[in-house]
Amino acid sequence: MNDLNRSNYTNSKERPVKIMQFGEGNFLRAFVDWILQNLNDSGVINSNVAVVQPMPMGRVKELAEQDGLYTLCLEGIDKGEKVQSRQIIDIISDFINPFEDYQKFLSYAKSEDLEIIVSNTTEAGIALDTSDTDLSVCPKSFPGKLLALLKTRYDHFNGDANKGLAIIPCELIDHNGDELKRILIELAKICGLDEAFITWMTTANHFTSTLVDRIVPGYPRDTAEEICQATGFKDNNIVKGEIFHLWVLQKEAFVQSKLPADKSGLNVIFADDITPYKQRKVKILNGSHTAMVPVAYLSGIDTVRESVEDKDVGKFVQGLVNDEIKPTIDLPKDEMDAFASSVIERFLNPFIRHELMSIALNSTTKFKTRLLPTYNDYRKKFGKSPKHILFSFASLVVFYRGKRGSEDIALNDSPEYLDFWKNLWTKTDYTDIAKTALCQKDIWEQDLAADDGNVEAVAKYIENIVTNGERAALQAFLSE
């Protein structure tokens, strides 16, 4: 069996690098890069991708070892039929670790070919770091890196308005394009950059907000050898995703001209307003994912499918979606019912082993962005807190204690959040733990402890989980 690289795989094509991608993770490779591959294969665009590793730890080196080639496996139910496909993606042709080679990263700012920036650095990636002001060395944050790139491009092309880029963030936060633009402006001012540059950054460059939707479990450990046998290539970068996909982009003429992704024949939409798509997807699919993780994982379950099939966890998820999430979305009931049913079907995809711990990455931020909007809308509508979300919050608190039975949990979150959770569990009084966790305005951007009954309910749930175990606590919750 040959190694997968451009020497052994002769179908790969040479194309100019017009797209820079911040993020080398499974989602971008199984979603955006797949769409770009289809656009190239159908002749809509002619562009390769340079991938940038946004954090000091990442997979750029592993991708480079295979010349950017990898196998994408898509599996699921399409029109009632089981569908499986395998495709070698060949559009990634350059690999940048800016922490090791900052000058190579900045050299792309001077490229005549570069037209598009795509990113997915998780919800925590689009955030202002006021200390990230030394652009002479690699900035720590994604906005810092992008600001350095844009400033270098501005200087190199003498502020040419025709050298602006289409900037397409895919991070799962509200109005991600507008938010990234706002942070760049604020960071530029903190850095003392001149107004002429800021004007160029905000007018020559074009930001669009997006919504992305595809479940991507990642590397298929159980079937990797079988896949390699079928393709004939040894591949350490295989990625697996579901058949379902949806990419909604806010209409922006410049972005649409540079990346006419709706011409691919895929489920890509340029919409006047992405808000209804966003609420439906983030609240139901991502919200139920995030709420499910600590409840199911602490109950001894490892995958999404097993979670939904489980009598107790499945009932919890159905209750969350039907009783607390759907009532907060202003769309017709039949449409909500149909979408919620489709989400459960996707969770039950027989081809996908979606590990709960892969969803658990940055769970603190995910709880804020994926569940608190539902929490707030529910309280506004019904005048009380949604109990499923409170139980999930209590489970999240216990999850960050870092233990499932006798085994350690491999917690993966921002260092400041990990420090907070670690310090929280030096406390022994459950009411104190609940109140401290709920009142963190720096984390949740609101005081959850101030809402009637929250501290008492969460403290009760935490005590029950710690004392009797998640499963027993969940069963008690469901019998309330």
Side-chain angles (χ1 to χ4, degrees):
M1 187 182 301
N2 292 323
D3 291 335
L4 182 58
N5 55 47
R6 292 181 190 266
S7 297
N8 295 324
Y9 180 75
T10 57
N11 291 332
S12 62
K13 296 182 179 179
E14 296 295 326
R15 309 178 186 95
V17 175
K18 298 181 182 179
I19 302 170
M20 173 175 280
Q21 175 176 301
F22 284 85
E24 77 286 26
N26 291 323
F27 182 82
L28 280 176
R29 294 192 295 118
F31 184 78
V32 172
D33 292 335
W34 171 73
I35 291 174
L36 296 175
Q37 183 77 46
N38 278 275
L39 288 168
N40 274 294
D41 291 347
S42 59
V44 176
I45 65 172
N46 181 41
S47 175
N48 272 357
V49 172
V51 64
V52 179
Q53 183 172 299
M55 300 295 289
M57 300 297 292
R59 291 187 54 81
V60 161
K61 181 180 178 182
E62 287 80 359
L63 292 176
E65 288 172 351
Q66 294 186 184
D67 299 330
L69 303 179
Y70 62 92
T71 308
L72 173 63
C73 302
L74 299 179
E75 301 178 330
I77 308 298
D78 186 25
K79 299 176 183 177
E81 299 291 329
K82 290 183 179 180
V83 178
Q84 293 177 285
S85 70
R86 292 166 182 155
Q87 179 180 9
I88 292 179
I89 305 297
D90 74 349
I91 61 164
I92 299 177
S93 59
D94 203 4
F95 319 90
I96 306 165
N97 183 342
F99 299 93
E100 294 181 355
D101 194 345
Y102 188 45
Q103 292 309 309
K104 179 179 179 180
F105 168 69
L106 292 179
S107 71
Y108 267 94
K110 305 171 185 179
S111 168
E112 293 278 358
D113 292 327
L114 188 65
E115 296 181 342
I116 298 165
I117 300 290
V118 176
S119 69
N120 191 344
T121 56
T122 81
E123 288 94 323
I126 298 183
L128 176 66
D129 183 345
T130 57
S131 68
D132 215 11
T133 56
D134 185 358
L135 303 185
S136 67
V137 296
C138 181
K140 299 184 293 295
S141 68
F142 161 52
K145 295 180 187 67
L146 182 55
L147 180 64
L149 186 85
L150 293 174
K151 180 62 167 66
T152 302
R153 190 170 182 84
Y154 171 81
D155 292 340
H156 181 74
F157 290 110
N158 299 310
D160 187 344
N162 294 316
K163 298 301 182 182
L165 304 173
I167 300 175
I168 309 172
C170 298
E171 289 82 357
L172 200 63
I173 62 172
D174 287 338
H175 312 295
N176 48 19
D178 295 334
E179 182 66 5
L180 178 58
K181 183 178 180 180
R182 182 193 70 78
I183 288 172
L184 286 170
I185 293 170
E186 188 170 352
L187 186 58
K189 290 179 178 179
I190 293 171
C191 291
L193 302 180
D194 59 67
E195 286 297 327
F197 163 71
I198 295 175
T199 299
W200 176 86
M201 180 175 69
T202 56
T203 57
N205 298 277
H206 298 259
F207 299 76
T208 191
S209 293
T210 68
L211 168 70
V212 295
D213 190 0
R214 166 171 274 171
I215 296 173
V216 178
Y219 186 79
R221 293 180 179 84
D222 295 344
T223 58
E225 185 175 347
E226 173 189 334
I227 293 167
C228 291
Q229 289 292 340
T231 62
F233 294 104
K234 181 182 177 182
D235 185 355
N236 295 316
N237 296 318
I238 302 170
V239 62
K240 185 176 181 179
E242 66 171 340
I243 293 290
F244 179 91
H245 64 281
L246 172 65
W247 197 9
V248 186
L249 301 94
Q250 192 88 35
K251 275 188 179 177
E252 209 291 339
F254 180 87
V255 173
Q256 196 165 1
S257 69
K258 295 299 181 183
L259 187 66
D262 55 336
K263 306 301 182 186
S264 63
L266 302 175
N267 197 15
V268 180
I269 300 168
F270 282 91
D272 292 319
D273 183 10
I274 69 173
T275 303
Y277 298 96
K278 176 88 172 181
Q279 283 193 340
R280 187 181 69 176
K281 188 260 181 176
V282 173
K283 283 188 170 184
I284 294 180
L285 190 146
N286 299 107
S288 58
H289 259 169
T290 297
M292 176 197 307
V293 166
V295 175
Y297 192 77
L298 292 177
S299 295
I301 299 171
D302 293 323
T303 70
V304 170
R305 183 182 179 189
E306 292 169 317
S307 301
V308 178
E309 290 177 335
D310 182 85
K311 178 183 177 182
D312 299 322
V313 179
K315 185 177 179 181
F316 174 83
V317 173
Q318 292 281 5
L320 169 74
V321 171
N322 292 326
D323 300 340
E324 296 177 5
I325 297 179
K326 286 197 298 185
T328 70
I329 302 174
D330 189 20
L331 285 172
K333 182 179 183 300
D334 58 346
E335 183 178 335
M336 283 295 92
D337 290 344
F339 184 78
S341 295
S342 73
V343 166
I344 298 300
E345 287 181 353
R346 291 166 66 189
F347 288 170
L348 292 169
N349 186 337
F351 297 110
I352 286 181
R353 180 178 173 83
H354 199 175
E355 299 283 347
L356 295 174
M357 285 304 295
S358 70
I359 305 170
L361 173 68
N362 293 327
S363 282
T364 308
T365 299
K366 285 177 178 175
F367 187 91
K368 179 179 73 174
T369 58
R370 299 179 177 188
L371 285 169
L372 285 188
T374 294
Y375 170 90
N376 289 322
D377 290 343
Y378 187 94
R379 278 197 62 90
K380 183 177 180 181
K381 186 171 184 177
F382 297 106
K384 60 182 180 179
S385 296
K387 66 176 187 177
H388 287 76
I389 292 179
L390 289 185
F391 185 83
S392 177
F393 182 87
S395 299
L396 184 73
V397 173
V398 180
F399 177 85
Y400 274 99
R401 187 175 60 158
K403 287 285 186 181
R404 181 170 74 167
S406 61
E407 66 178 278
D408 292 333
I409 298 175
L411 300 173
N412 194 347
D413 211 324
S414 299
E416 63 270 24
Y417 294 149
L418 292 176
D419 287 343
F420 165 73
W421 293 116
K422 182 178 180 180
N423 291 332
L424 178 70
W425 279 103
T426 62
K427 300 176 182 292
T428 56
D429 180 80
Y430 294 116
T431 299
D432 191 13
I433 290 171
K435 184 176 182 180
T436 303
L438 287 162
C439 75
Q440 297 300 310
K441 289 184 179 180
D442 289 346
I443 298 176
W444 316 121
E445 298 181 2
Q446 63 190 91
D447 184 359
L448 296 169
D451 293 335
D452 292 345
N454 281 4
V455 172
E456 294 81 1
V458 172
K460 181 185 74 172
Y461 295 147
I462 291 173
E463 182 174 7
N464 202 358
I465 294 168
V466 173
T467 304
N468 300 311
E470 182 77 26
R471 175 74 65 179
L474 175 59
Q475 290 172 343
F477 169 80
L478 293 172
S479 66
E480 288 181 355

